[in-house]
Amino acid sequence: MSRVYYSFYDRLLSKKSLYRAFCKVKSNRGSYGVDKVSIDDFENKLKENILRLLEELKTKSYKPQAVRKVEIPKENGKTRQLGIPTIRDRVVQQTLLEILSPIYEEDFHPSSYGYRPNRSCHQAISKATMFIRKYNLKWVVDMDLSKCFDTLNHEIIISTIRKRVTDGSILKLIEMFLKSGIMRGAGIEKMETGSPQGGVISPLIANIYLNEFDQYMKRRNYRIVRYADDILILCRTKRKAEKAREEAARYLEKILRLKVNEEKTYIRHSDDGIKYLGVEIYSKYTKIQEKKLKKFKEKVKSATRRNSPVNLEKVIKDINPILRGFINYFKIANCKKAAERLMEWTRRRLRAKQLKLWKTPNRLRRRLRQLGCNIEVKEIKMSSWKNSKSQLASLSMPNNWFSELGLFDMTNVKFGITVPC
């Protein structure tokens, strides 16, 4: 039976823990809250701020401020609402997180991967892939929850946390964070449900909440993979998948009071591809989702605009993190050919950029002579995208030249990796 913790509020009352929490908050960066105090502002008076927090926690006079509303654009054109707490509130939340996280980690489902230490998207993808290919669970229910963080029920949050932690002071502190409100214009809007997406402790609260669903599905002998609110249920037959969908939706809506988005929840066979965490998992291979390829190209296009006077060395320095970050994530897919095409396209973008910087065909002629190419250069339009794919562009700027300039080559990684899960 799991251990119950009755009293550990005093563990919050540590100057060392609060300092350590601030260092973590600082490393995560992030914007200011409703008080407009930035991380640098807080650090400038760090000792004073930490001692004030410590005194407020000791006397139990500490009260979190409302969160600042921020809207982040989503890929579908809609926006995601974030609630940004103040720096001081993030420090207290981080301290609380470091106390609570080890307690609940031992309870979490082994196939839960989101917002947990030493767990990743790669592991979630590998687990889903293993279930499909090794265990032949090729009928998959992809559950979509509508605004999960915004609809978490406060009573259920507290009652679920109370199963392991009964310290009234800790529970009261969590409740205050939940009900701190959202600043809208000049007024504060009360929060009747939800845990602000943007709060330090919100991911842990969501995991504790959704772990109830995980354990229910485990008791029903269903194989699941969950990354935050991205849920897959993997079954051997379509009939089993339909039953799993019904049971899962009933538990999520009736017991946890969440809303299942019926339009985006579907059952699909892995032969047709399962879209999950940026990839599409098929019965025999994994590919990158088209929208992720499109987003990658948009980022590279923005960094390689031909009307910018920035030299090529600086452009390459700017796009290398984009290339490296993209392929380090998607190397889990079988995407060597896709990487080759993207590198070819990226080099063409750079060739187009350099042609525009050279301005005149004379500069191109000079470059070819330097390389020992005795080829006639007729008048060409140096700003033409079409000419960036010409023989002249390829000869004057060969692939190895970009390597010498330091361009990261995405094709030099191992693809289709399997991560222990």
Side-chain angles (χ1 to χ4, degrees), residues 67-233:
V67 298
R68 182 169 67 92
K69 178 187 172 185
V70 177
E71 293 188 347
I72 305 297
K74 295 170 68 174
E75 291 177 352
N76 58 9
K78 297 181 180 180
T79 59
R80 175 183 288 109
Q81 292 190 5
L82 297 184
I84 309 298
T86 61
I87 305 301
R88 69 193 308 271
D89 291 339
R90 299 215 293 268
V91 169
V92 176
Q93 287 190 27
Q94 182 64 41
T95 308
L96 187 58
L97 176 68
E98 291 178 5
I99 296 170
L100 293 177
S101 184
I103 295 172
Y104 291 97
E105 268 299 311
E106 60 188 50
D107 291 342
F108 288 153
H109 192 288
S111 290
S112 165
Y113 292 97
Y115 308 124
R116 294 181 60 189
N118 303 315
R119 294 195 159 223
S120 67
C121 292
H122 280 177
Q123 290 175 307
I125 293 167
S126 292
K127 178 64 76 70
T129 303
M130 181 185 73
F131 283 151
I132 288 170
R133 297 174 191 167
K134 185 176 179 179
Y135 292 95
N136 204 34
L137 305 177
K138 297 184 178 181
W139 284 100
V140 182
V141 185
D142 187 335
M143 301 291 299
D144 186 88
L145 300 178
S146 298
K147 298 181 179 179
C148 177
F149 277 83
D150 297 334
T151 55
L152 300 177
N153 182 278
H154 289 177
E155 290 181 9
I156 296 176
I157 291 172
I158 298 300
S159 65
T160 304
I161 292 174
R162 190 181 281 118
K163 291 178 181 180
R164 294 296 307 276
V165 174
T166 61
D167 187 321
S169 298
I170 293 290
L171 294 172
K172 181 64 176 177
L173 187 58
I174 293 171
E175 190 173 15
M176 284 196 295
F177 283 129
L178 293 173
K179 297 186 180 299
S180 59
I182 299 176
M183 181 69 75
R184 294 181 187 271
I188 296 176
E189 182 179 301
K190 291 184 178 179
M191 293 174 59
E192 301 297 337
T193 60
S195 181
Q197 194 169 355
V200 174
I201 203 167
S202 293
L204 176 63
I205 288 174
N207 269 336
I208 294 171
Y209 198 101
L210 287 171
N211 187 55
E212 297 293 296
F213 167 77
D214 299 343
Q215 300 302 331
Y216 171 77
M217 296 302 284
K218 184 178 180 180
R219 291 192 299 272
R220 303 294 293 169
N221 295 318
Y222 288 113
R223 299 282 193 175
I224 70 166
V225 179
R226 183 173 66 80
Y227 191 94
D229 58 348
D230 289 326
I231 304 168
L232 298 183
I233 310 169

Side-chain angles (χ1 to χ4, degrees), residues 390-401:
S390 68
Q391 183 187 29
L392 292 174
S394 297
L395 287 172
S396 61
M397 294 171 276
N399 290 356
N400 64 339
W401 182 64

Side-chain angles (χ1 to χ4, degrees), residues 179-392:
K179 297 186 180 299
S180 59
I182 299 176
M183 181 69 75
R184 294 181 187 271
I188 296 176
E189 182 179 301
K190 291 184 178 179
M191 293 174 59
E192 301 297 337
T193 60
S195 181
Q197 194 169 355
V200 174
I201 203 167
S202 293
L204 176 63
I205 288 174
N207 269 336
I208 294 171
Y209 198 101
L210 287 171
N211 187 55
E212 297 293 296
F213 167 77
D214 299 343
Q215 300 302 331
Y216 171 77
M217 296 302 284
K218 184 178 180 180
R219 291 192 299 272
R220 303 294 293 169
N221 295 318
Y222 288 113
R223 299 282 193 175
I224 70 166
V225 179
R226 183 173 66 80
Y227 191 94
D229 58 348
D230 289 326
I231 304 168
L232 298 183
I233 310 169
L234 301 102
C235 304
R236 199 174 300 278
T237 65
K238 185 177 182 180
R239 184 177 178 182
K240 186 75 171 177
E242 289 169 346
K243 183 181 178 182
R245 174 176 173 165
E246 291 175 7
E247 290 192 45
R250 183 165 56 248
Y251 189 87
L252 288 165
E253 294 189 331
K254 300 295 184 183
I255 306 301
L256 296 184
R257 302 182 197 176
L258 299 172
K259 177 64 177 174
V260 175
N261 188 332
E262 294 293 339
E263 292 181 0
K264 294 183 178 180
T265 295
Y266 61 85
I267 296 173
R268 182 171 294 169
H269 195 278
S270 57
D271 284 352
D272 300 317
I274 310 300
K275 293 183 178 181
Y276 194 56
L277 301 177
V279 301
E280 289 185 46
I281 306 170
Y282 288 82
S283 299
K284 295 183 178 180
Y285 65 94
T286 303
K287 62 179 281 190
I288 305 172
Q289 289 182 24
E290 286 298 322
K291 67 179 181 180
K292 298 299 181 182
L293 296 173
K294 183 179 178 182
K295 188 174 181 180
F296 168 83
K297 285 191 171 185
E298 287 172 355
K299 287 183 177 180
V300 174
K301 276 184 179 180
S302 178
T304 57
R305 293 190 304 270
R306 280 172 282 169
N307 59 358
S308 168
V310 180
N311 64 46
L312 209 63
E313 289 83 354
K314 176 65 167 61
V315 172
I316 288 173
K317 185 178 179 181
D318 290 341
I319 67 171
N320 272 344
I322 301 173
L323 304 177
R324 193 175 287 111
F326 178 84
I327 207 62
N328 281 344
Y329 182 85
F330 287 109
K331 64 185 178 183
I332 196 165
N334 307 103
C335 61
K336 184 172 179 61
K337 289 185 178 179
E340 289 172 350
R341 288 193 297 269
L342 290 174
M343 282 307 303
E344 182 180 333
W345 175 84
T346 300
R347 291 189 189 98
R348 184 178 178 186
R349 290 288 308 178
L350 294 172
R351 289 185 179 109
K353 169 77 176 173
Q354 186 60 61
L355 285 175
K356 182 73 181 292
L357 288 172
W358 280 338
K359 295 182 180 179
T360 66
N362 284 337
R363 296 285 298 276
L364 177 59
R365 292 188 185 97
R366 192 183 310 157
R367 168 66 179 168
L368 289 169
R369 284 198 300 270
Q370 288 172 350
L371 295 174
C373 295
N374 295 318
I375 186 171
E376 183 181 356
V377 179
K378 298 179 180 179
E379 292 297 319
I380 67 169
K381 189 176 180 181
M382 300 294 282
S383 60
S384 167
W385 170 247
K386 180 181 178 181
N387 286 336
S388 65
K389 200 177 181 180
S390 68
Q391 183 187 29
L392 292 174

Side-chain angles (χ1 to χ4, degrees), residues 13-24:
L13 310 180
S14 163
K15 188 172 18 174
K16 184 178 180 180
S17 295
L18 290 170
Y19 272 114
R20 186 169 61 245
F22 170 75
C23 291
K24 180 65 175 178

